[in-house]
Amino acid sequence: MAKQNDHFKKVIAHAKEYGYVFPSSEVYDGLSAVYDYGQNGVELKNNIREYWWKAMVQLHDNIVGIDAAIFMHPTTWKASGHVDAFNDPLIDNKDSKKRYRADVLVEDHVGKLDAKIEKEVAKAAKRFGDAFDKAQFLATNPRVLKYKEQGEKILKRLGRSLENEDLADVKRLIEELAIADPETGSRNWTDVKQFNLMFGTKLGASADSAMDLYLRPETAQGIFVNFLNVQKTGRMKIPFGIAQTGKAFRNEIVARQFIFRMREFEQMEMQFFIKPGTQKEWYDAWKETRLKWHHSLGMGEENYPFHDHEKLAHYADAACDIEFRFPFGFKELEGIHSRTDFDLSSHEKHSGKKLQYFDPEINESYTPYVLETSIGLDRMFLAVFSNSLTEETLEDGSARTVLKLPSVLAPTKVAVLPLVKKDGLPDVAKKIVEELKWDFKVIYDEKDAVGRRYRRQDANGTPFCITVDHQTLEDDTVTIRHRDTMEQDRIERSQVRGLVKDEVDIRSWFKKM
Ligand code: GAP
């Protein structure tokens, strides 16, 4: 756990030091759970968005994109269920005056049981060495089984109480488990209350006539209310999808863990409209498709378990998360939800307009069912960034910090470095920058010894360094250095573009799907 915290602290510090993520309005001491992306962060974020958009929209001839407004008619949120049901159960500590999500307090308690299981596994692995069979140990060790049973029982009761809106029982559970304020250790709790997560604002000039609006808490509803516009103008035939990326806003209570849980964040969502009755088949198909997308980035297939939802949202008949191994453990990265016809039917009811599809194959109209894939762009950023930040000890005993970003996502693809700042080497290096910059984001760096410049680019995540030296002047060759292996090859200058393209081209990464 201490090691995990340590890595997470390094991730946050590195993101700031290298211009990836800054606290918002930092000159005023920041704003809680709001962040700005710096000069490298914005490139990484754009590249992740593009990687998603191309996979979802460009590669699927039955998926199109839209960009709906953040402000929506307020009835949208009544129809979607957000006005009545987009709540978190909150509890205050009377001594510390701190506010917590009651369900998160309980889940963190279960997380401690999971940590105990991991500790037992680590101890046993050490004791038994090569003969250790983890699966058998997990299935038979009495202590592990006891922790597992305790955790399952607690989560089941929590799920039941939340589902039945029995907030008194959630408080009883917190008291029975003797859960204390994580910051002060106090157990002096208030009752559990529901708290709506939407941010309200006003539209209009005068206070009397102003209309109450919400900042959208998800991008999905912009897709539902445009379902017929897109279907008709695009002459789309079911099954088809509408994709969208954009900002969403939630007044999160437990807004910690850096960009994992923010108050203003970006989602990449796709609603796939299907014939009623086919939802199970599409649910399985989209689970597989999305998992392949994640795997294509090569960040370790073992890092993406599925987690089925026990407590389903008001709109879903099946739902799961694709989790990722974040520095603080496995947590939700993406949600896959079978949303039935809840949203379209509800918008029909509240608007009085038909949102149906005429299916020429069966000569009938129906309200389509929807399969949703929804991933947080910032959360994906954190997954990629935290997984890539590596500290290595080299053969000579020196340390190297390297950001092993998948090269397709790296903000800068190539750094061009003249070995020295004289003898015409900078001119040749600048010419190479000119040649490459039409295809890739390239930087020129001539400051400091070349070894230090390599380290700077390693920490920045730049996959390739091209070095121009005196031999370049004689035979027009350069060295290309690979970030992850630090290997250097001498190649013709004319080969650089093709070689880099092969490695960073989105097409070669998508081939892994
Ligand atoms: N339309 C469905 C929907 O919004 P969700 O599970 O609430 O479902 C989908 O959110 C994804 O959005 C999550 O898997 C997560 O990646 C991201 N997300 C949700 N809340 C977030 C927050 N406060 N900060 C950052 N990302 C968030």
Side-chain angles (χ1 to χ4, degrees):
M1 193 61 114
K3 221 168 149 191
Q4 282 185 353
N5 284 341
D6 206 32
H7 180 61
F8 191 35
K9 280 187 192 145
K10 282 182 185 153
V11 164
I12 298 169
H14 197 88
K16 183 166 180 213
E17 188 180 345
Y18 284 86
Y20 279 85
V21 184
F22 306 129
S24 157
S25 33
E26 201 185 4
V27 288
Y28 296 106
D29 297 331
L31 184 65
S32 164
V34 186
Y35 291 90
D36 297 338
Y37 288 87
Q39 66 280 13
N40 282 318
V42 69
E43 298 286 348
L44 175 55
K45 206 173 164 205
N46 285 344
N47 292 344
I48 295 173
R49 195 189 294 105
E50 188 188 14
Y51 198 73
W52 182 87
W53 188 268
K54 288 206 162 152
M56 299 298 275
V57 179
Q58 191 166 316
L59 293 190
H60 286 100
D61 52 15
N62 59 351
I63 299 183
V64 292
I66 62 163
D67 182 17
I70 287 172
F71 291 141
M72 298 184 71
H73 191 284
T75 310
T76 308
W77 306 111
K78 188 77 193 147
S80 68
H82 284 81
V83 170
D84 298 320
F86 195 50
N87 300 317
D88 273 349
L90 291 191
I91 191 163
D92 291 305
N93 188 278
K94 290 184 195 163
D95 296 329
S96 69
K97 312 281 181 241
K98 296 234 174 257
R99 178 164 278 193
Y100 296 95
R101 259 178 65 176
D103 54 335
V104 172
L105 284 178
V106 175
E107 279 164 11
D108 284 353
H109 179 87
V110 173
K112 284 183 192 150
L113 295 173
D114 291 340
K116 283 185 183 170
I117 293 176
E118 270 184 36
K119 225 168 168 179
E120 293 292 337
V121 170
K123 261 190 341 206
K126 206 163 160 196
R127 193 159 8 114
F128 295 116
D130 287 346
F132 181 58
D133 181 340
K134 186 173 167 187
Q136 195 195 358
F137 182 79
L138 285 174
T140 54
N141 180 272
R143 256 198 299 264
V144 167
L145 292 178
K146 191 181 85 189
Y147 293 141
K148 238 162 88 182
E149 192 191 325
Q150 280 175 356
E152 280 165 9
K153 214 166 133 193
I154 293 168
L155 288 180
K156 218 172 187 166
R157 177 162 158 202
L158 175 70
R160 212 176 33 235
S161 308
L162 289 174
E163 193 141 346
N164 299 335
E165 298 268 321
D166 187 354
L167 299 181
D169 192 54
V170 178
K171 181 174 182 194
R172 269 197 301 277
L173 185 59
I174 288 175
E175 286 172 340
E176 281 168 31
L177 297 171
I179 294 176
D181 180 330
E183 290 190 28
T184 64
S186 159
R187 296 198 175 91
N188 193 5
W189 296 112
T190 62
D191 288 342
V192 178
K193 285 172 290 199
Q194 292 288 19
F195 173 82
N196 194 287
L197 297 184
M198 283 195 293
F199 282 106
T201 185
K202 300 242 180 233
L203 178 113
S206 87
D208 306 335
S209 62
M211 188 183 202
D212 285 316
L213 289 189
Y214 295 106
L215 298 186
R216 66 180 178 199
E218 62 172 11
T219 58
Q221 298 305 323
I223 295 179
F224 293 126
V225 298
N226 276 297
F227 158 72
L228 262 196
N229 283 339
V230 175
Q231 190 271 319
K232 288 205 157 38
T233 56
R235 295 189 313 193
M236 309 299 291
K237 283 204 171 65
I238 273 180
F240 75 92
I242 305 178
Q244 167 165 229
T245 70
K247 289 271 176 142
F249 304 82
R250 296 183 187 178
N251 198 358
E252 297 282 3
I253 301 312
V254 185
R256 51 188 156 101
Q257 295 169 321
F258 193 38
I259 55 172
F260 180 81
R261 196 178 300 286
M262 302 157 89
R263 296 203 162 104
E264 174 182 342
F265 59 100
E266 194 164 337
Q267 288 186 315
M268 306 190 288
E269 298 202 298
M270 193 277 303
Q271 312 297 327
F272 200 67
F273 298 91
I274 55 175
K275 197 168 162 185
T278 62
Q279 64 268 34
K280 171 83 179 87
E281 160 197 332
W282 284 112
Y283 179 64
D284 292 341
W286 276 108
K287 276 173 72 175
E288 194 186 327
T289 304
R290 292 302 304 146
L291 193 64
K292 278 189 185 156
W293 181 85
H294 286 288
H295 287 176
S296 71
L297 287 168
M299 300 201 302
E301 298 197 358
E302 68 288 0
N303 288 332
Y304 300 88
F306 279 112
H307 171 82
D308 291 324
H309 287 199
E310 274 169 32
K311 179 182 180 261
L312 291 174
H314 57 276
Y315 51 75
D317 71 358
C320 67
D321 301 330
I322 297 178
E323 292 190 335
F324 185 73
R325 188 199 291 271
F326 287 97
F328 34 83
F330 283 103
K331 295 273 179 218
E332 172 186 351
L333 172 59
E334 169 159 7
I336 306 201
H337 311 128
S338 172
R339 294 185 74 123
T340 66
D341 61 353
F342 173 84
D343 302 272
L344 290 180
S345 294
S346 189
H347 286 304
E348 279 194 315
K349 223 182 299 154
H350 283 82
S351 67
K353 313 249 165 58
K354 277 222 165 320
L355 292 174
Q356 296 209 337
Y357 171 76
F358 177 75
D359 192 332
E361 282 179 20
I362 52 170
N363 231 7
E364 255 178 46
S365 290
Y366 53 78
T367 308
Y369 269 40
V370 171
L371 214 291
E372 169 183 72
T373 71
S374 175
I375 176 167
L377 175 49
D378 313 85
R379 221 171 258 194
M380 184 64 194
F381 185 112
L382 181 59
V384 170
F385 194 89
S386 59
N387 189 70
S388 301
L389 186 62
T390 316
E391 303 217 314
E392 292 178 348
T393 306
L394 303 180
E395 274 174 17
D396 64 2
S398 65
R400 171 172 97 121
T401 300
V402 50
L403 193 59
K404 294 186 171 178
L405 296 171
S407 62
V408 65
L409 302 181
T412 305
K413 307 298 188 206
V414 186
V416 186
L417 323 171
L419 186 63
V420 288
K421 256 193 281 183
K422 54 183 185 182
D423 305 334
L425 301 189
D427 294 339
V428 181
K430 282 177 191 164
K431 263 196 207 136
I432 296 177
V433 170
E434 268 306 309
E435 285 160 17
L436 298 180
K437 76 177 189 192
W438 304 96
D439 295 295
F440 321 110
K441 177 122 185 7
V442 186
I443 63 163
Y444 171 81
D445 189 4
E446 60 176 24
K447 196 168 173 285
D448 299 323
V450 74
R452 283 189 69 179
R453 280 180 272 165
Y454 285 152
R455 287 289 187 279
R456 197 152 58 224
Q457 295 307 326
D458 289 344
N460 220 25
T462 310
F464 298 104
C465 286
I466 303 293
T467 306
V468 174
D469 55 19
H470 291 94
Q471 193 179 327
T472 311
L473 302 179
E474 287 163 23
D475 60 7
D476 215 22
T477 61
V478 292
T479 60
I480 182 165
R481 175 182 179 276
H482 302 259
R483 177 196 63 198
D484 297 351
T485 59
M486 294 189 295
E487 269 169 22
Q488 299 189 29
D489 303 311
R490 188 118 213 143
I491 58 169
E492 304 274 333
R493 176 174 148 188
S494 59
Q495 289 179 295
V496 172
R497 186 175 160 276
L499 220 144
V500 173
K501 194 165 169 22
D502 281 350
E503 294 265 346
V504 306
D505 193 22
I506 223 167
R507 177 195 296 247
S508 45
W509 288 78
F510 280 167
K511 277 195 188 136
K512 297 175 202 154
M513 280 200 280

